Amino acid sequence: MSDDVKIEERKDGPLVVSGLSSFEGPDGPIAPKPVMALCRCGNSKNKPFCDGSHNKVGFESRGGTPAGRDRVITYEGKEVSVNYNPLLCSHAAECGRLASNIFNPTQKPWVQPDLGTVAEVEAVIAACPSGALSIATSEGVEHRTADRAQIVVEKNGPYWVKDIPAPTSDRAAGASEDKFVLCRCGLSGNKPYCDGSHRDAKWRDEAEG
C-alpha cells in the first residue's frame, strides 16, 4: 500500500486523487495527472473527470439507504470457506464470470465452495474488486488482490481501487485494507463506497454525458 497516493472527498463534490501512478478507463489506460478530480455525482459530461455538474444537480456526499446489510455471512466448505458482506458488494459479477459453478445466485446457498476447487475460489477472491468476498480461515479473514491498475473505471459502474488508503476510516465489517470500490453514479446509500445501486438503477456512463 502506498501512502504517497491519496483519495480525498470534497464535501458534496468530487473525489480528488493525487500521486496516482496507474489509471485505467473502460477503454484502456489513462495517463494520470499529479492531481485529478474524479466525478462521483454521475452527471459529468467529461467522465470520469469532474466538470462541476455536482453543483447543478445538488449532489450530496452522504444520504440514502444502503442496498445491502452490513453483516458477514460465512459459506463453509470442506477445504475452504468463503465470507461475504452484502454491504460491500458492487455486483461486478466477477465471481459468476470466473466460477459460476461455485458462485451462482440461482442456487441456494448462492456460494457453495465444495462445487469447485480451492484455486477457483482463490481466483474469485482476488478478482472481487470490492472485497465483499474473502477466504475464511482459522486465523481470520484473508483477502487477495488481482494485478490491475491502482484505479480502474468500470464501464457503467464504480471506481475499483487497490493499494491506496481508503478515504474514510468508517468501513464495513470484514472490509479489505487493500481494495475497495467507490461510487461514481451518485446513487449509493453507502457513499463514498459503492453499494451496487448503479446496477439496480441501470445507470450508464453516457446517460448524461
Side-chain angles (χ1 to χ4, degrees):
M1 173 137 352
S2 174
D3 291 330
D4 296 330
V5 189
K6 292 183 173 58
I7 300 178
E8 301 176 342
E9 290 186 88
R10 291 281 170 84
K11 180 175 171 54
D12 300 333
L15 295 165
V16 178
V17 182
S18 56
L20 195 68
S21 60
S22 56
F23 189 32
E24 185 174 326
D27 299 318
I30 299 173
K33 298 177 181 179
V35 179
M36 302 183 296
L38 301 181
C39 173
R40 60 172 175 152
C41 74
N43 289 274
S44 173
K45 293 178 172 58
N46 189 34
K47 299 181 186 74
F49 304 104
C50 171
D51 69 354
S53 291
H54 55 275
N55 291 316
K56 299 176 184 177
V57 301
F59 170 75
E60 296 182 348
S61 301
R62 296 292 184 271
T65 301
R69 292 176 58 191
D70 186 9
R71 59 173 181 157
V72 176
I73 305 166
T74 300
Y75 300 94
E76 296 185 358
K78 293 177 181 178
E79 293 187 83
V80 64
S81 296
V82 174
N83 279 345
Y84 171 65
N85 187 329
L87 180 61
L88 292 171
C89 186
S90 67
H91 303 296
E94 291 293 275
C95 51
R97 180 180 69 83
L98 294 173
S100 59
N101 51 316
I102 302 171
F103 301 87
N104 186 341
T106 65
Q107 65 188 13
K108 292 186 178 180
W110 80 277
V111 181
Q112 298 189 35
D114 291 339
L115 295 183
T117 66
V118 173
E120 286 179 305
V121 171
E122 291 176 338
V124 166
I125 299 305
C128 175
S130 66
L133 294 169
S134 59
I135 295 175
T137 71
S138 58
E139 304 279 320
V141 176
E142 181 181 341
H143 291 279
R144 307 284 178 89
T145 305
D147 183 16
R148 57 174 176 256
Q150 289 172 297
I151 296 182
V152 174
V153 183
E154 179 187 343
K155 184 174 178 59
N156 303 323
Y159 298 108
W160 298 6
V161 184
K162 74 159 197 163
D163 298 335
I164 301 175
T168 71
S169 58
D170 185 16
R171 304 288 306 282
S176 170
E177 295 183 1
D178 300 316
K179 62 181 178 180
F180 49 89
V181 284
L182 294 173
C183 173
R184 72 182 184 99
C185 71
L187 303 173
S188 173
N190 188 38
K191 300 182 192 78
Y193 306 101
C194 171
D195 68 354
S197 291
H198 61 279
R199 185 195 65 166
D200 298 335
K202 296 180 173 56
W203 180 80
R204 295 292 181 268
D205 283 303
E206 298 81 9
E208 299 291 339

